[in-house]
Amino acid sequence: MRAVHSVLIAAALAAAVPAFAQQTRIEERLTDAEFRAAGLEKLSQAELARLNELLARGAAPSAAAAATPDVEARIAQAREEGRREASVAAETAVRPAESREPVESTIPGAFTGFARGREYTLANGQVWRQTDNASIAGARGQDVNVRLRPGLLSVWWLQVDGYNREAKVERVR
């Protein structure tokens, strides 16, 4: 839908530009109210003449002509800061499991069943959080073996040995 709107706006502008460009001076193109609303009455005669010259050519001031060394330096600095922030974010972001291979491990200590939001720390150091409402009534165990298998659309399923129920989980770290 957005693409259709963009095409329609571009077509309307393309149709309007030739009629707009036929008038030579900005003062003739705009009403007095539009001229004042745009703040153009503040321009000096030289600035107004330059604007009219650019409009007559059908070109707006280029970014290179408008940019000063100070502006270019600030743009370069902002780009570098953005790269650094993206790098830090990538390093500290929680990453999904690197592979889509099933994982077999144990949950050291006591296992008291499934519950939404519960985190399971595996013996291999991975931490997984349950995201669904699966439960196992009366489940208890010590150092239980677990299997994690990938599902569709980046979903992972946790199953505890001895129980036929699986819980949907996501990797925390």
Side-chain angles (χ1 to χ4, degrees), residues 2 6 11 26 29 39 46 56 69 71-72 76 79 81 113 117 122 126 134 143 151 156 159-160 167 172:
R2 187 175 284 176
S6 297
I26 190 72
R29 295 180 187 187
V71 172
E72 291 173 3
R79 284 185 182 142
E81 288 173 5
L122 307 183
Q126 294 178 351
D143 299 328
W156 284 84
Q159 183 176 16
V160 177
V172 176

Side-chain angles (χ1 to χ4, degrees), residues 24-27 35 38-56 59 61:
T24 56
R25 298 178 47 216
I26 190 72
E27 300 93 293
F35 191 80
L40 296 176
E41 80 280 356
K42 298 173 191 169
L43 296 177
S44 69
Q45 288 302 318
E47 293 168 330
L48 195 54
R50 176 69 176 140
L51 178 59
N52 282 321
E53 177 186 318
L54 290 169
L55 291 173

Side-chain angles (χ1 to χ4, degrees), residues 116-134:
R116 182 183 194 103
R118 185 173 287 171
E119 289 188 359
Y120 307 99
T121 303
L122 307 183
N124 65 9
Q126 294 178 351
V127 179
W128 296 79
R129 179 182 309 118
Q130 184 174 334
T131 60
D132 68 355
N133 291 324

